[in-house]
Amino acid sequence: DLVNDAIGFIEKREKEAKEFEKFRESKMGSRPLSGMHTGFTDIDIITDGLPYGISLVGARPEDGLTDFGLNIANKISRKHKVAYISPDLPAKVLVKRLMSCEATVNIRNMNEGFLSEADFPKLTIAAHRFSFGDNLTFYDKKGINPWEFSEACKYMQKEHGTELVILDRFQGLFPRGESSSGESYYWKAREIAGLMHDLVSESGLALMLLSEVKKKKKGERITTAHLRDFGVFEYDARPI
């Protein structure tokens, strides 16, 4: 029964992938994207695929920023080399969250051990995919500074052929305890923005920066003005 469940799950995911591709083509036409396919049709339509250079993603705390970044990494790593760098979360936590998404299994049930019989083949397939695939790399050094981040990106590009680096979160490059407000923070962020700009100019990498914005009123739309607390990335980034 478990084998049949696993086969059924694979067939279902393959069918969903084909249906998604048909939907994408109906929206965008059959021409190839100029950037990397993100797996999110609306984003691909707006950006024509994730471009090389700096992309900035801003979201309020608890809006699922990490899960969004992991989904992007998962989809793009099907065809491109991706590195996911997190100064805050250990790699094992990120992999568990990614497996939960890939297998469509509730992460709380995974953490507490309350898994149904149908969950095991899904997790087995997800684990198999990540154990044999070498397109997605996690880097979770705590306390990494901007210069170490830049050197890590260059190393992964040289040694592994990395094309996309996702940084989760930009604020994690700041020293622990440093305030996210005030003039000193702004100028520090501005200095880091220059370093990132030099990195993509020299390497040709695609760099996606995930950044938290300050909490605003419920329902208020995020604008570039909300991102200016984190440097001048709104000027360097292509899509925001």
Side-chain angles (χ1 to χ4, degrees):
D1 289 340
L2 289 177
V3 174
N4 289 331
D5 287 343
I7 294 172
F9 179 69
I10 293 172
E11 291 176 345
K12 180 182 176 182
R13 295 305 292 267
E14 289 177 347
K15 182 179 178 181
E16 288 174 349
K18 289 177 182 178
E19 289 176 351
F20 175 81
E21 190 60 27
K22 288 180 181 178
F23 176 74
R24 187 190 72 80
E25 289 183 1
S26 70
K27 293 289 185 181
M28 304 182 65
S30 57
R31 67 174 180 81
L33 299 172
S34 62
M36 290 177 273
H37 177 41
T38 66
F40 292 86
T41 300
D42 289 343
I43 293 177
D44 287 341
I45 290 172
I46 294 171
T47 64
D48 199 25
L50 187 71
Y52 289 88
I54 300 173
S55 300
L56 179 62
V57 179
R60 299 182 183 93
E62 302 175 2
D63 269 1
L65 189 62
T66 294
D67 290 332
F68 174 78
L70 288 172
N71 269 283
I72 292 283
N74 184 28
K75 295 294 185 182
I76 292 182
S77 67
R78 307 287 172 90
K79 294 183 179 180
H80 303 273
K81 299 273 189 177
V82 180
Y84 197 98
I85 297 181
S86 174
D88 299 317
L89 293 174
K92 62 181 181 180
V93 172
L94 295 170
V95 170
K96 184 179 287 188
R97 291 175 72 163
L98 188 55
M99 282 187 62
S100 167
C101 177
E102 177 72 11
T104 62
V105 173
N106 189 301
I107 193 167
R108 180 177 294 179
N109 293 343
M110 288 176 61
N111 290 333
E112 296 177 357
F114 296 116
L115 296 173
S116 69
E117 192 170 300
D119 290 334
F120 287 101
K122 297 178 183 179
L123 290 169
T124 300
I125 294 167
H128 184 274
R129 166 171 159 17
F130 295 126
S131 63
F132 285 91
D134 60 354
N135 275 6
L136 181 56
T137 303
F138 289 97
Y139 186 91
D140 62 353
K141 181 181 178 182
K142 277 196 171 184
I144 186 173
N145 63 47
W147 294 270
E148 289 173 332
F149 170 79
S150 178
E151 291 304 312
C153 290
K154 293 175 184 176
Y155 172 81
M156 285 185 285
Q157 183 186 42
K158 180 180 179 181
E159 296 297 323
H160 305 294
T162 299
E163 298 174 70
L164 167 66
V165 176
I166 299 176
L167 172 62
D168 179 14
R169 301 166 294 127
F170 167 60
Q171 289 77 17
L173 295 181
F174 287 80
R176 296 284 178 183
E178 187 166 337
S179 172
S180 61
S181 61
E183 187 176 359
S184 62
Y185 182 97
Y186 173 81
W187 288 106
K188 186 70 174 176
R190 190 171 174 138
E191 180 183 355
I192 295 175
L195 183 68
M196 299 298 175
H197 186 71
D198 291 341
L199 171 64
V200 297
S201 296
E202 294 171 8
S203 65
L205 278 169
L207 181 60
M208 175 179 279
L209 306 175
L210 309 184
S211 178
E212 284 187 354
V213 300
K214 292 180 179 179
K215 288 186 177 181
K216 300 294 178 182
K217 295 179 181 178
K218 189 175 181 180
E220 183 183 0
R221 186 175 180 180
I222 293 177
T223 67
T224 54
H226 297 145
L227 301 173
R228 291 192 180 117
D229 289 330
F230 309 119
V232 290
F233 280 109
E234 72 273 18
Y235 299 115
D236 292 329
R238 294 183 179 182
I240 301 179

